[in-house]
Amino acid sequence: MLRDNTSKVVLIGGILIILFGAVAPNWIVNQLMFGFSRALAILGLLVLWRTGLVSFGHAFYFGLGAYTVAILDIQLGVTDVFVRLLGGACLAGLAGFLVGFIMRNYRDIFFAMLNTAISMVLYGIIVKTESLGSTDGFAISLPTIFGVAPETKYPLFVVITTVAIVSALLINFYLKTTIGRLTTPIRDNEIRVEYLGFSVAHAIHLKYTMSAILAGGAGALMAMSLGQVDPDSMINWTVSGELVFITILSGPGNVIAPFIGSLVFEVLRTYAFELAPHLWQLIVGGTFLTIIFFLPGGIWSLISKLGRSTS
Amino acid sequence: METFLTILLDGLQFSSYLFIVSAGLTIIFGVMKILNVCHGSFYAWGAYTSAFFIGKFSEMGLPDGLGFVVIVASAIIVGLVLGFLIEQLILKHMYHRDEVLIVLATFGLFLVLEDVILIAFGTDPYFAYQPMALLDSVEMGGIVRDVYGLTLIGVAALVAAGCWFLLNKTKWGTILKAVIFDREMGISMGINVPFVYTLTFIGGAILGGLGGAYIAPTISVAPGLGTEVIVLSFAVVVVGGMGSIMGAAIGSVIIGLLRALAVHELPQVELFVVFAVMAVVLVFRPEGLFAPAKPRKI
Amino acid sequence: MTESKPILEVRDLLKTFGAVVAAKDINVDVRKGEIVGIIGANGAGKTCFVNMVTGYLKPTSGSIAFDGVQLVGKGPREVTHAGISRSFQVSQVFHTMTVAENLMIALAIAKNRGFAALREMDSPDLLTRRDDVLTRYHLDSYKDMTVNVLSQGVRKLLDIAMAVVSEPRILLLDEPTSGISVEEKFGFMDVVIEALREDEVTVLFVEHDMEIVERYVSRVLAFYQGEIIADMSPKKALADAKVQEFVIGTRH
Ligand SMILES: Nc1ncnc2c1ncn2[C@@H]1O[C@H](COP(=O)(O)OP(=O)(O)OP(=O)(O)O)[C@@H](O)[C@H]1O
Ligand SMILES: [Mg+2]
């Protein structure tokens, strides 16, 4: 059996990327920030995806995280990056915990659509509420870190990458615990899991809450990297669709996959908009079909194949 | 009173077109257990095809009445061609895979077809008002309505009656109901399930196309119209219960009337109301209002 | 059979689905260490009985006491925790996972209760136990194969092995030999019963094959239309007129 080197790779790779960011041009640092922020949400969706659950509404938590940062900034003048991040993640986590009581009873398309419905209710409310920025949203000030207002975006990049490393390590560990292993078994046969003596509802509730915390954190970090929030880029169902797309693109094989998948997505989008602006949906849709048909393990399956043939 | 009548008629018209589209969606789901996101594409392609040819024929000086033929023909052609191709090339190879994965595949297809529409028809909107102009308008209860819009309600009623007849009065209906209840049982009864699937998908696609083709004269046919309808018809089948024609009818009326009410009385909640109803129904009736029975498990 | 108090006491069990009566007037006492056969034609209510005892179905009325603890109202999970396990007529296993992974999950859930579920699953102790079960159930050679590709027989073995890792005091097997060829049946049951006898598990098993019943059980419950029409030794049962007519007669 192969030894699992994931945590080492995450740690060393993460540190190298932080160092690389110090010398990389601005646009690369920006792409990395967007990619890693979004990857946090994918990490949570990966856990659900392994369990056979696809949420077409996680923009709800992503948006909650992002808007919490906006409200903290504008209403309360909170600038500290950690307070904003924790605020966003905790609020989304709390919402996920509460919604989880309902959601843990749903599967398949019903799970997907109830999530969509809830996220679209929030979208509908924000779009029509002037005090929540309506369709325009809010601009957000650059966060301070330990009380210092940074000159560049690099310190924020370091924070985001560190959060990404820690989250990847935590989820990697979680997936090795007994409760964390209860993904494929639940997807394959819930009746058996119950008869073995574990509550499927509790297991799903925990996974769902975790995914909400991660999506909330992702939204908060994304809001700070972008410097603004608006409903269409934070809560609309297209955002949820993007998150699902990146999850499939990444593949469920490893906690590193979401980071690679998110970066590929960022690059794909940047170039697609430059080269063929009218073909974006075609590219996304085509990639979707290609992956589902020819690469069910996503990009990660390519990488792990490569790793196996070289070792 | 007049507002009330307006809301009622707007709502019913809206419900009618929702029902035509959703009936196709719910039949496909009932028989094949596929939540077909690219149903929105059938609708959009139906709308574009009919708008395009109605415009062309009118330019060529052909009689406007031909528009109705175009509408029906567009629906059938779109359903046959797109439905057949998608079922044979993509879906047929996926029946053994997870339900959710099939949904994602149809979502991918939907995105592809959205852009193919742009390539085929361009970004400028189409107006195919001729059939509507032909039928003129009437005054009723103090308000003026387009006759064309009112015929929509009749078409929906026809579709409903047709589905009911097919399911309950023909041999085909018996076969469909057997497959809907239990696929394995259908196979063991000697039913050619793959063939039933192909026909069902084409049939559903034609209904999707018909919704688009018939509504085309009343709207500006522009990019993105597939997205709105797929979201709304999802709400309809979820509320009604997936796989039930009766459910699709009730769901359409509920969603249609509520939306018309919101548009006229409380525009702030227009978008919100559809999803709120969907969420509430899912929470309290997870299977929808009229979900068909399921076989037992262990 | 020296113990006085039964380990399982079923009283006046009734289960209806609308107009269908799936179980009626079921009264059974089972003592520790007994191996009981449950027979009956298709639709007689055997699975329904197993489902009620293991908490999958809630009886319409009646009581089921396990070592004095009332089971009615408990779900499968609580019944498992109480010490009753089951296997299934159609094996319920994790079909995209390997045999070893299936067993490992079963073991981990059984052994890592509560906060222990937050510890890493693959401990050396559990791995040893897993290999032990694999050997006892003759599953070694299938260890790394995905369930999808395995025959019905192997799945059934795995299904039963997964049920016993929680070390239940009562085990209900729903048609353990269905889907297994006639030649293999006895070898299969030898493996299972031997493993269970070692652990002194009380066993109730549903079976259509009378030869199997005769060979392994000490007592037979014959079901007919939801009722128990005979509760006696297998020899007597096979000679019983009612059993012959309603159970054996209807089968070829
Ligand atoms: N969930 C249910 N809903 C409706 N009817 C049910 C349900 N479960 C069982 N029944 C009915 O109860 C009766 C007993 O069924 P059961 O499955 O217990 O039979 P069985 O003895 O196990 O038969 P077999 O040998 O075929 O497994 C049957 O008439 C069946 O249709
Ligand atoms: Mg049975």
Side-chain angles (χ1 to χ4, degrees):
Chain A
M1 269 203 355
L2 279 167
R3 288 256 329 281
D4 179 31
N5 289 323
T6 305
S7 24
K8 261 184 234 154
V9 174
V10 168
L11 209 58
I12 297 171
I15 291 171
L16 287 179
I17 288 172
I18 289 178
L19 294 176
F20 167 72
V23 295
N26 257 340
W27 66 272
I28 291 192
V29 172
N30 270 332
Q31 299 261 299
L32 286 172
M33 284 202 297
F34 299 152
F36 288 173
S37 303
R38 214 181 251 114
L40 280 193
I42 311 299
L43 218 44
L45 293 184
L46 174 145
V47 176
L48 292 178
W49 171 236
R50 283 194 183 190
T51 316
L53 298 169
V54 175
S55 161
F56 243 94
H58 258 52
F60 179 70
Y61 302 106
F62 192 77
L64 272 182
Y67 270 78
T68 305
V69 171
I71 304 290
L72 280 177
D73 182 17
I74 289 152
Q75 305 285 332
L76 303 172
V78 173
T79 54
D80 185 76
V81 69
F82 298 108
V83 177
R84 285 176 173 188
L85 171 63
L86 280 180
C90 290
L91 190 78
L94 180 66
F97 176 70
L98 296 177
V99 174
F101 281 101
I102 298 169
M103 217 52 90
R104 68 191 199 182
N105 302 317
Y106 292 77
R107 302 293 182 270
D108 299 325
I109 40 186
F110 296 99
F111 179 84
M113 286 195 301
L114 186 52
N115 275 295
T116 318
I118 290 178
S119 73
M120 288 307 284
V121 168
L122 179 66
Y123 176 78
I125 292 175
I126 289 190
V127 163
K128 297 287 180 189
T129 309
E130 215 56 61
S131 59
L132 290 173
S134 190
T135 47
D136 294 338
F138 301 108
I140 296 169
S141 66
L142 204 61
T144 56
I145 298 166
F146 301 122
V148 182
E151 303 270 300
T152 66
K153 278 197 168 176
Y154 181 68
L156 180 60
F157 165 77
V158 175
V159 170
I160 290 177
T161 313
T162 311
V163 171
I165 295 171
V166 173
S167 311
L169 291 176
L170 282 175
I171 296 295
N172 191 45
F173 176 76
Y174 166 79
L175 288 172
K176 288 182 188 166
T177 63
T178 299
I179 187 163
R181 290 278 172 128
L182 285 175
T183 50
T184 319
I186 291 177
R187 192 192 66 198
D188 278 1
N189 197 329
E190 291 189 20
I191 293 174
R192 177 53 108 176
V193 174
E194 285 282 336
Y195 266 111
L196 287 174
F198 209 99
S199 161
V200 171
H202 291 172
I204 290 182
H205 199 164
L206 176 65
K207 291 174 207 303
Y208 189 79
T209 308
M210 281 169 38
S211 74
I213 294 173
L214 285 164
L221 292 178
M222 189 58 114
M224 289 188 268
S225 334
L226 276 172
Q228 67 156 64
V229 295
D230 66 88
D232 275 311
S233 58
M234 295 295 176
I235 313 180
N236 204 352
W237 70 272
T238 46
V239 180
S240 302
E242 263 168 26
L243 295 178
V244 172
F245 174 68
I246 304 172
T247 312
I248 311 288
L249 180 73
S250 310
N254 190 292
V255 293
I256 301 171
F259 295 91
I260 298 171
S262 304
L263 289 180
V264 170
F265 176 77
E266 289 298 330
V267 173
L268 197 69
R269 180 154 71 174
T270 311
Y271 281 99
F273 270 123
E274 232 161 73
L275 299 176
H278 297 308
L279 297 183
W280 175 236
Q281 300 197 79
L282 197 133
I283 294 170
V284 171
T287 316
F288 239 120
L289 288 170
T290 314
I291 299 242
I292 288 171
F293 270 95
F294 303 108
L295 205 62
I299 296 177
W300 183 256
S301 61
L302 285 182
I303 295 171
S304 66
K305 222 179 270 166
L306 219 77
R308 237 175 287 135
S309 59
T310 52
S311 70
Chain B
M1 183 61 209
E2 276 150 35
T3 348
F4 172 76
L5 201 58
T6 309
I7 292 175
L8 186 70
L9 286 174
D10 272 4
L12 281 182
Q13 260 170 247
F14 195 63
S15 310
S16 302
Y17 114 86
L18 274 182
F19 171 73
I20 299 171
V21 180
S22 311
L25 190 66
T26 210
I27 288 173
I28 291 175
F29 182 84
V31 176
M32 307 168 74
K33 301 290 170 289
I34 290 178
L35 185 63
N36 179 34
V37 182
C38 72
H39 205 68
S41 311
F42 299 150
Y43 171 86
W45 278 85
Y48 266 101
T49 313
S50 80
F52 180 80
F53 282 107
I54 289 173
K56 267 277 170 301
F57 285 6
S58 156
E59 266 174 40
M60 286 157 67
L62 296 171
D64 285 349
L66 216 53
F68 290 95
V69 181
V70 171
I71 287 169
V72 176
S74 305
I76 293 176
I77 291 169
V78 163
L80 266 179
V81 175
L82 276 185
F84 181 76
L85 286 182
I86 291 174
E87 205 272 338
Q88 287 293 309
L89 293 180
I90 311 262
L91 298 179
K92 206 171 90 178
H93 309 286
M94 295 202 71
Y95 293 139
H96 59 284
R97 311 219 11 209
D98 273 358
E99 224 173 90
V100 194
L101 221 51
I102 305 184
V103 179
L104 294 178
T106 62
F107 179 53
L109 268 170
F110 171 73
L111 293 176
V112 170
L113 287 172
E114 283 286 281
D115 270 2
V116 175
I117 283 187
L118 289 187
I119 297 169
F121 296 100
T123 45
D124 293 337
Y126 287 74
F127 299 96
Y129 53 86
Q130 289 83 352
M132 192 155 113
L134 195 69
L135 288 191
D136 222 339
S137 51
V138 287
E139 206 204 299
M140 45 197 291
I143 55 166
V144 180
R145 306 288 305 185
D146 295 318
V147 175
Y148 187 89
L150 296 174
T151 61
L152 196 60
I153 301 174
V155 174
L158 266 177
V159 169
C163 289
W164 180 84
F165 185 80
L166 179 81
L167 274 174
N168 296 307
K169 294 285 161 194
T170 64
K171 195 174 124 247
W172 256 95
T174 320
I175 292 178
L176 279 183
K177 279 198 277 192
V179 178
I180 290 174
F181 183 67
D182 189 345
R183 190 180 111 91
E184 309 306 323
M185 195 175 80
I187 294 173
S188 69
M189 279 163 63
I191 295 172
N192 183 350
V193 172
F195 184 63
V196 172
Y197 275 20
T198 312
L199 283 191
T200 303
F201 198 73
I202 291 176
I206 290 178
L207 285 177
L210 181 64
Y214 208 90
I215 207 81
T218 68
I219 57 172
S220 96
V221 178
L225 83 170
T227 311
E228 194 200 343
V229 79
I230 193 62
V231 167
L232 289 172
S233 45
F234 270 18
V236 166
V237 295
V238 165
V239 168
M242 316 244 287
S244 154
I245 297 279
M246 177 69 169
I250 306 275
S252 303
V253 172
I254 294 176
I255 300 277
L257 287 179
L258 273 176
R259 215 182 101 130
L261 188 68
V263 167
H264 286 282
E265 298 296 321
L266 208 64
Q268 301 91 299
V269 302
E270 179 197 334
L271 191 65
F272 166 94
V273 76
V274 174
F275 290 101
V277 171
M278 181 167 152
V280 168
V281 170
L282 268 173
V283 168
F284 291 102
R285 287 289 297 248
E287 306 277 287
L289 301 174
F290 293 90
K294 290 215 184 71
R296 53 186 277 237
K297 251 196 169 158
I298 58 171
Chain C
M1 314 292 125
T2 46
E3 267 179 72
S4 53
K5 201 156 164 46
I7 186 167
L8 186 71
E9 290 172 273
V10 179
R11 290 285 169 273
D12 303 322
L13 218 51
L14 173 73
K15 179 71 193 179
T16 55
F17 296 102
V20 180
V21 180
K24 194 181 156 209
D25 296 332
I26 307 266
N27 284 287
V28 182
D29 283 350
V30 180
R31 277 163 215 293
K32 185 161 182 266
E34 268 192 298
I35 297 189
V36 180
I38 297 176
I39 59 174
N42 291 105
K46 308 179 295 293
T47 300
C48 184
F49 174 71
V50 174
N51 283 345
M52 286 191 288
V53 174
T54 57
Y56 187 73
L57 287 176
K58 193 169 187 279
T60 310
S61 66
S63 86
I64 305 169
F66 168 55
D67 226 0
V69 180
Q70 186 52 237
L71 293 184
V72 172
K74 291 194 194 317
R77 188 167 21 110
E78 293 150 297
V79 172
T80 302
H81 290 171
I84 299 183
S85 288
R86 74 174 286 186
S87 76
F88 300 83
Q89 189 166 349
V90 178
S91 42
Q92 303 286 325
V93 289
F94 307 128
H95 56 268
T96 65
M97 295 164 60
T98 67
V99 170
E101 287 168 344
N102 265 274
L103 272 177
M104 197 61 194
I105 288 284
L107 268 166
I109 292 178
K111 302 298 166 202
N112 298 342
R113 292 265 167 80
F115 283 104
L118 290 169
R119 279 207 302 267
E120 206 165 317
M121 184 177 86
D122 292 339
S123 68
D125 172 46
L126 282 193
L127 286 168
T128 323
R129 278 170 190 255
R130 180 196 71 186
D131 291 338
D132 180 50
V133 179
L134 282 170
T135 312
R136 266 211 283 169
Y137 284 85
H138 297 224
L139 288 165
D140 286 306
S141 49
Y142 308 105
K143 192 176 164 194
D144 293 320
M145 289 163 83
T146 309
V147 169
N148 266 336
V149 304
L150 297 173
S151 69
Q152 263 306 321
V154 182
R155 287 188 206 194
K156 283 265 171 176
L157 262 182
L158 176 61
D159 191 64
I160 295 169
M162 286 170 76
V164 298
V165 294
S166 60
E167 294 166 23
R169 290 200 285 152
I170 299 184
L171 181 63
L172 295 98
L173 306 172
D174 196 354
E175 303 201 14
T177 66
S178 75
I180 297 177
S181 70
V182 186
E183 307 89 68
E184 289 174 278
K185 275 190 181 181
F186 284 96
F188 175 93
M189 282 306 284
D190 280 344
V191 171
V192 173
I193 297 291
E194 193 180 314
L196 294 175
R197 280 222 176 97
E198 257 174 57
D199 299 336
E200 293 181 21
V201 184
T202 307
V203 183
L204 285 84
F205 77 89
V206 178
E207 182 57 66
H208 282 303
D209 188 326
M210 291 305 151
E211 281 181 62
I212 302 257
V213 172
E214 262 189 294
R215 174 138 157 202
Y216 297 101
V217 311
S218 53
R219 181 177 153 202
V220 162
L221 303 176
F223 277 71
Y224 175 67
Q225 295 194 343
E227 291 185 69
I228 294 182
I229 54 168
D231 178 354
M232 49 189 73
S233 75
K235 238 204 198 84
K236 269 201 211 152
L238 288 180
D240 187 90
K242 272 201 288 184
V243 172
Q244 282 196 342
E245 184 182 350
F246 295 127
V247 181
I248 304 164
T250 51
R251 299 193 64 82
H252 31 256

